[in-house]
């Protein structure tokens, strides 16, 4: 998503065109968006480490948080659970994550849930209710609101565009 790349470039203080070139130089068509995001995140992490913006220990902690979220994406994720996993105070964890990633932990979790939902929409014919539950949303109305906020379209619009070839594998819209 182009807005994600712009935000990433801003946070990492890297030229947008550099990130775009690196992102486009790797074949990600046919690979889930998560793989593309992992690639971009690793490029930014390397840049931030090289620039001394944060330490290897910080990156390790962020990686542990992200891995925990990925492993438990279908479950209710509480600040308490995540903080216990990384041995941090819950309120410190929130500020720590935001300081080192530029986004709140709750927004990160929502983005990861929606990324997982997009993958399920692309590869299955499950109902949106089933997809919502499998990605950790217990309320389908809330799932729809979060999906619309993050993807700027409803899950139904997303499925329609995917089935009709109007979306690329990285979720950008074909003109």
């Amino acid at each position: 998503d182009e807005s994600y790349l712009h935000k990433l470039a801003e946070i990492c203080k890297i030229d947008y065109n550099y990130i775009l070139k690196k992102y486009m130089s790797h074949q990600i068509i046919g690979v889930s968006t998560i793989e593309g995001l992992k690639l971009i995140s690793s490029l930014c992490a390397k840049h931030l480490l090289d620039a001394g913006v944060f330490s290897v220990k910080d990156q390790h902690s962020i990686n542990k948080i992200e891995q925990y979220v990925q492993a438990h994406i279908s479950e209710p994720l509480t600040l308490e659970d995540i903080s216990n996993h990384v041995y941090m105070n819950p309120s410190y964890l929130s500020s720590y994550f935001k300081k080192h990633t530029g986004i709140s932990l709750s927004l990160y979790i929502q983005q990861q849930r929606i990324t997982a939902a997009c993958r399920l929409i692309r590869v299955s014919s499950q109902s949106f209710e089933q997809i919502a539950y499998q990605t950790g949303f217990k309320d389908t109305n809330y799932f729809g609101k979060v999906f619309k906020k993050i993807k700027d379209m409803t899950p139904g619009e997303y499925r329609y565009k995917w089935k009709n070839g109007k979306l690329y594998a990285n979720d950008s819209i074909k003109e």
Side-chain angles (χ1 to χ4, degrees), residues 19-32:
I19 290 179
L20 185 62
K21 181 180 172 188
K22 287 289 192 180
Y23 183 72
M24 297 310 256
S25 70
H26 290 76
Q27 292 185 349
I28 62 164
I29 302 303
V31 178
S32 71

Side-chain angles (χ1 to χ4, degrees), residues 46-172:
K46 181 182 178 339
H47 176 77
L48 292 171
L49 286 168
D50 291 348
V53 174
F54 63 92
S55 69
V56 173
K57 181 179 182 281
D58 291 331
Q59 183 58 43
H60 178 71
S61 295
I62 296 299
N63 286 345
K64 278 186 74 171
I65 294 165
E66 290 172 344
Q67 288 167 359
Y68 184 86
V69 168
Q70 290 300 321
H72 297 84
I73 200 74
S74 64
E75 304 166 17
L77 282 165
T78 67
L79 194 54
E80 303 289 325
D81 293 336
I82 299 168
S83 64
N84 287 337
H85 180 72
V86 294
Y87 308 105
M88 285 186 190
N89 176 290
S91 58
Y92 177 69
L93 171 63
S94 285
S95 61
Y96 179 87
F97 190 85
K98 179 149 185 151
K99 175 184 174 189
H100 293 291
T101 65
I103 63 170
S104 70
L105 183 55
S106 61
L107 177 58
Y108 174 77
I109 292 168
Q110 286 180 341
Q111 289 174 338
Q112 297 310 302
R113 290 187 194 282
I114 296 304
T115 297
C118 287
R119 186 186 57 74
L120 289 171
I121 290 170
R122 290 192 309 265
V123 301
S124 77
S125 58
Q126 295 178 54
S127 72
F128 297 127
E129 182 177 18
Q130 291 172 311
I131 290 171
Y133 289 129
Q134 287 181 30
T135 55
F137 291 95
K138 301 305 172 214
D139 178 334
T140 54
N141 290 328
Y142 182 63
F143 166 70
K145 285 180 184 178
V146 173
F147 195 101
K148 174 103 172 142
K149 179 180 94 174
I150 291 175
K151 290 295 179 186
D152 203 28
M153 65 182 91
T154 67
E157 291 168 329
Y158 184 91
R159 178 172 276 162
Y160 175 83
K161 287 180 181 181
W162 177 255
K163 283 186 175 182
N164 291 289
K166 297 183 186 279
L167 285 177
Y168 290 107
N170 66 359
D171 291 345
S172 62

